[in-house]
Amino acid sequence: MSGRFPVGSPTDLTLILGPLRRGPGDPTCRIAPDGAVWRASRTPEGPATLRVAPSGAEAWGPGADWMLGRLPALLGELDDPSTFVAHHRIVAEAARRAPGLRLTRTGLVMESLIPSVLEQKVTTDEAYRAWRLLVRKYGDEAPGPAPAGMFVMPTARTWSLIPSWEWHKAGVDDKRAATILRAVRVAPRLEQAASMTPESAAARLQLIPGIGPWTAAEVLQRALGAPDAVTTGDLHLPNIIGYALTGAHRTTDEEMLKLLSPYEGHRHRAARLILLTGRTPPRRHPKMPVANIAIL
């Protein structure tokens, strides 16, 4: 099953859809040399592959119609930045350089939640590797003419049946694996969060032990396109925000939230713009060590 859909107005696909890709080797997301973005998702109607290019979009698989029907939301057409006002010169310059920035909204909770849990308290390289290995081993091949090596993430039941030693081989500790197992047992209830307000969605997600404000915000940003879902509890983000706006080398969550308070309602949007500047404080501590639990 396939379908076509016009993309419409000129869109910076990589800028909008980039946050959905979990590293350059993500088997569920691929940016092709021609600029097209390929996504393989497990929708409520089944697996689907979506190809989006400036010339239009096409989808294959049982979930093709679902994916195409939500294309405007995915491409940020439901995002409303009209009330955003830049209160800092660096933010204003970033907004000027990235006029096509819109916040994506996938409407799919679990496909953002599981990789976000994998990213808890580890390096991004470790998390990307775990996501890549588990999806390739337990997911389904992406339908249609998807690029080689693309997969749809596993079903909730398949996630629940992954043996403990396979989590360890992928570098996932017992705590993160247990959080994912608790989440997939109530996956239908968590997917309902996509149609809730960000506040209600965050509350529902955080009913699961192991899911806190950091993970919830990461999900709200992608699944709901929540413009105010600023990430707290992150190792790097407060320092990046603080350095960009004040020159400070060390910034706490509380100080970051105070700095972003003029952007209330758009704090995630302001953070995205700041991240696009590439301004980061000089490294003053060693990188987080990579723990190879597969050999423990």
Side-chain angles (χ1 to χ4, degrees):
M1 182 179 189
S2 67
R4 295 181 181 274
F5 195 95
V7 168
S9 58
T11 301
D12 190 331
L13 297 174
T14 303
L15 183 63
I16 295 170
L17 302 179
L20 303 180
R21 186 170 68 149
R22 307 290 180 156
D26 186 350
T28 70
C29 187
R30 188 75 53 84
I31 299 176
D34 64 359
V37 177
W38 291 80
R39 275 178 40 79
S41 294
R42 189 168 296 281
T43 79
E45 296 177 4
T49 300
L50 175 71
R51 178 186 181 273
V52 188
S55 58
E58 189 169 7
W60 301 265
D65 288 344
W66 191 95
M67 291 282 278
L68 291 172
R70 284 151 183 80
L71 187 63
L74 184 72
L75 297 182
E77 292 184 20
L78 303 186
D79 180 36
D80 182 12
S82 62
T83 58
F84 178 78
V85 177
H87 294 273
H88 298 83
R89 179 190 57 79
I90 191 171
V91 176
E93 179 62 17
R96 187 187 68 80
R97 290 177 177 271
L101 176 64
R102 294 293 184 274
L103 303 181
T104 186
R105 182 186 303 184
T106 67
L108 297 169
V109 170
M110 297 305 293
E111 77 166 23
S112 291
L113 176 60
I114 292 174
S116 293
V117 172
L118 292 175
E119 292 172 9
Q120 292 175 351
K121 307 298 183 182
V122 297
T123 66
T124 53
D125 287 345
E126 289 176 273
Y128 292 161
R129 174 182 177 273
W131 174 247
R132 185 170 64 247
L133 291 177
L134 292 169
V135 171
R136 285 178 178 171
K137 184 162 188 175
Y138 294 101
D140 299 317
E141 288 191 14
M150 287 199 70
F151 288 82
V152 177
M153 78 168 195
T155 65
R157 175 171 171 75
T158 300
W159 283 112
S160 71
L161 296 176
I162 296 177
S164 59
W165 59 86
E166 293 291 352
W167 290 105
H168 286 185
K169 285 169 63 176
V172 183
D173 58 80
D174 292 342
K175 183 176 180 181
R176 285 178 292 150
T179 299
I180 291 172
L181 293 176
R182 284 190 290 266
V184 297
R185 291 188 188 110
V186 291
R189 292 275 295 164
L190 294 182
E191 289 290 0
Q192 292 172 1
S195 59
M196 296 178 176
T197 65
E199 295 76 17
S200 297
R204 176 163 295 192
L205 289 168
Q206 291 179 80
L207 290 174
I208 306 298
I211 298 177
W214 183 92
T215 307
E218 293 291 305
V219 175
L220 297 182
Q221 292 163 9
R222 295 168 173 84
L224 280 73
D228 200 46
V230 61
T231 302
T232 57
D234 192 84
L235 180 62
H236 303 292
L237 185 62
N239 294 332
I240 293 172
I241 299 296
Y243 183 74
L245 298 185
T246 70
H249 288 265
R250 297 291 297 173
T251 303
T252 65
D253 270 343
E254 292 73 18
E255 291 167 340
M256 176 185 71
L257 292 175
K258 185 175 181 179
L259 288 172
L260 292 176
S261 61
Y263 300 99
E264 192 78 31
H266 293 277
R267 291 177 297 175
H268 170 52
R269 190 187 314 280
R272 278 287 315 274
L273 288 168
I274 291 169
L275 289 172
L276 288 174
T277 69
R279 289 177 58 88
T280 59
R283 186 180 296 277
R284 291 192 169 188
H285 55 80
K287 294 179 68 175
M288 181 185 294
V290 176
N292 185 7
I293 70 167
I295 62 174
L296 297 181

